[in-house]
Amino acid sequence: MHGRMIHPVNGKEQSQPYDVNGQWINSIDRALLNEDLLNELTAKSIPVKFHHKLLHANFEGKHLTFRDSACEKDATVPYDLCIGADGAYSAVRRQLMRVVRMDYQQEFIPHEYIELRVAPGIGPDGSTHYQLHPNHLHIWPRHSFMLIALPNKDKSFTSTLFAPTSEFEKLKDANEFIDWFRSHFPDALNLIGESRLIEDYKRNPRSPLIHIKARPYHYKDSVVILGDAAHAMVPFYGQGLNCGLED
């Protein structure tokens, strides 16, 4: 993506290049990235387990106990190195707090988000095309809330609506949501379509945005937490790269 595309309410787009020399940043679909990582693991014959919940960790004995939700049975497995990359609500971090003097801070910001989708456009001959310029991060800024859209290789856009919880709470049903969306994002509504927007609104949950600080990140030389488990950060601060470098 070579820059931002700003969408005001009047629909007059404004391109804002990231760099005068034409440099760009890349966008990748999270689901595709996860698939590629899993494919790399399975290609190297590394066993992958799904539907297993961490119940208990014995960090001195180097054993982890999991529950298989498919059969409701528990299993205890040994490890040499435990890497807790299990997100902001990390079970590994909770277990780590039992054995280290961890300083921990959690803070919810006043905003939540809903994931939406802009489908590919369909031409007269049945071919697909991008409905928005594919080399931009699209932003609809509206004071205390905003909509963004990121391009995907299948010519769709992954879109996210950020708004204060208090704003979402005013919307009692899908019809009120559509009216609110139409008043603030009329051009985006035309791109998404009312029926798809209602479907996404009903299906996709409102999700909170959270800061997490934890220190230390490890136990001896055999346990470490990474990513959101160690330092969840909301995207608006532009600290994703720094968090990655810290990992």
Side-chain angles (χ1 to χ4, degrees):
M1 298 182 295
H2 292 275
R4 304 179 186 90
M5 186 70 79
I6 305 301
H7 298 258
V9 177
N10 62 19
K12 294 182 179 179
E13 298 177 352
Q14 178 188 358
S15 176
Q16 297 180 350
Y18 288 129
D19 181 79
V20 295
N21 298 313
Q23 295 188 78
W24 66 86
I25 62 174
N26 292 316
S27 169
I28 185 169
D29 186 289
R30 185 179 301 180
L32 294 177
L33 177 60
N34 286 339
E35 288 177 11
D36 285 346
L37 292 173
L38 288 172
N39 288 337
E40 284 295 315
L41 289 173
T42 54
K44 300 181 185 307
S45 301
I46 297 174
V48 178
K49 301 288 186 181
F50 294 95
H51 308 296
H52 282 66
K53 180 180 180 180
L54 178 63
L55 298 180
H56 178 71
N58 181 342
F59 292 134
E60 287 294 337
K62 294 187 177 181
H63 288 86
L64 303 173
T65 301
F66 295 90
R67 174 159 296 171
D68 184 344
S69 60
C71 62
E72 293 298 322
K73 291 184 178 179
D74 297 349
T76 299
V77 294
Y79 69 86
D80 295 315
L81 173 64
C82 173
I83 301 174
D86 50 342
Y89 304 100
S90 170
V92 176
R93 186 185 64 234
R94 288 199 303 270
Q95 295 294 321
L96 200 57
M97 289 177 174
R98 300 163 63 94
V99 296
V100 300
R101 292 166 58 95
M102 180 181 288
D103 293 325
Y104 174 74
Q105 179 181 344
Q106 172 181 302
E107 179 186 358
F108 287 93
I109 71 168
H111 290 65
E112 296 179 322
Y113 69 92
I114 300 175
E115 289 200 354
L116 309 171
R117 182 173 181 267
V118 178
I122 307 296
D125 60 352
S127 62
T128 58
H129 61 270
Y130 288 102
Q131 294 200 72
L132 293 163
H133 195 288
N135 299 119
H136 284 79
L137 163 61
H138 294 266
I139 305 175
W140 290 257
R142 302 294 186 265
H143 302 290
S144 64
F145 51 90
M146 70 175 179
L147 181 72
I148 68 169
L150 294 163
N152 299 314
K153 285 189 173 181
D154 66 357
K155 300 182 181 179
S156 68
F157 285 80
T158 298
S159 183
T160 309
L161 174 62
F162 298 94
T165 302
S166 58
E167 194 73 26
F168 282 130
E169 292 292 343
K170 296 175 185 177
L171 309 174
K172 303 303 181 184
D173 55 35
N175 290 330
E176 289 192 10
F177 176 71
I178 289 293
D179 291 341
W180 178 86
F181 199 92
R182 181 184 293 108
S183 67
H184 296 292
F185 311 106
D187 56 336
L189 180 59
N190 293 332
L191 296 171
I192 298 172
E194 284 193 20
S195 59
R196 178 176 292 276
L197 184 59
I198 291 174
E199 181 182 335
D200 286 345
Y201 175 74
K202 291 181 177 179
R203 182 185 63 235
N204 298 339
R206 281 167 36 194
S207 300
L209 291 161
I210 189 173
H211 292 294
I212 285 175
K213 297 179 182 179
R215 188 177 296 274
Y217 299 154
H218 70 284
Y219 178 68
K220 296 184 177 179
D221 62 350
S222 59
V223 184
V224 65
I225 54 176
L226 298 176
D228 282 357
H231 43 214
M233 179 73 67
V234 299
F236 317 121
Y237 290 174
Q239 294 298 309
L241 176 60
N242 285 339
C243 287
L245 291 172
E246 190 170 0
D247 284 339

